Amino acid sequence: MKDRRLLRINLFILIITVALSLTAKLIDIEIIGVSGVIVGGFLAFAYFFSLSILIGKAFADTSSEGIETKEAGRLGLKLLLLTFGLTIITIAVILTHMCQPLGFLIGFSALFGAIAFETMAFLVFSKPQMDADDEEN
């Protein structure tokens, strides 16, 4: 995984999960639960991390024409299995009452918060496209 933005998103997921867990601990509401926030954040991290590695490897050696049909099929199957596996884990975690569903959702929202935070940081701190083109010439 070479893209720094993906690494920052993974780092932000962990940071937001820790912040949400500490907040849940301070608030101490029974229907949220700290364990649910931690489990949700960890599964969000695991999903995004494995997804970014899978996509990074799939498109690392591609040409301008894209990936081959066989590779696309394999990639689709891997994505399906990854999503299906993590869905089964999510359902098992909630049905076994390992954590509260509301806490799990709050923890899993770290994924969306991290993506939003990285998007805002990119928009604020990146050079406008026209300036970058002028510097290349």
Side-chain angles (χ1 to χ4, degrees):
M1 186 168 48
K2 297 176 183 177
D3 191 2
R4 289 185 178 157
R5 288 176 285 179
L6 293 177
L7 289 173
R8 282 194 304 264
I9 290 173
N10 283 310
L11 180 65
F12 288 151
I13 290 172
L14 292 176
I15 291 169
I16 291 172
T17 299
V18 168
L20 288 173
S21 300
L22 291 174
T23 305
K25 179 74 173 165
L26 290 173
I27 294 174
D28 196 29
I29 298 175
E30 186 179 326
I31 62 170
I32 294 176
V34 179
S35 64
V37 177
I38 293 171
V39 169
F42 177 74
L43 280 176
F45 173 77
Y47 182 72
F48 193 79
F49 186 72
S50 56
L51 185 65
S52 57
I53 288 175
L54 181 67
I55 296 299
K57 285 183 180 179
F59 291 103
D61 298 326
T62 59
S63 64
S64 61
E65 297 175 8
I67 60 177
E68 296 179 20
T69 307
K70 277 187 174 182
E71 290 298 319
R74 288 185 194 137
L75 177 63
L77 183 61
K78 288 177 184 178
L79 286 173
L80 178 69
L81 291 174
L82 174 68
T83 304
F84 186 67
L86 286 171
T87 302
I88 295 295
I89 291 171
T90 301
I91 290 170
V93 163
I94 292 174
L95 289 181
T96 59
H97 301 289
M98 180 185 252
C99 63
Q100 297 289 340
L102 186 58
F104 180 84
L105 288 175
I106 291 171
F108 201 83
S109 70
L111 171 66
F112 307 108
I115 292 171
F117 189 74
E118 177 58 30
T119 302
M120 288 186 296
F122 176 75
L123 291 174
V124 169
F125 297 116
S126 67
K127 292 181 182 180
Q129 188 65 29
M130 292 178 65
D131 291 344
D133 290 340
D134 291 340
E135 290 178 4
E136 289 177 3
N137 294 328

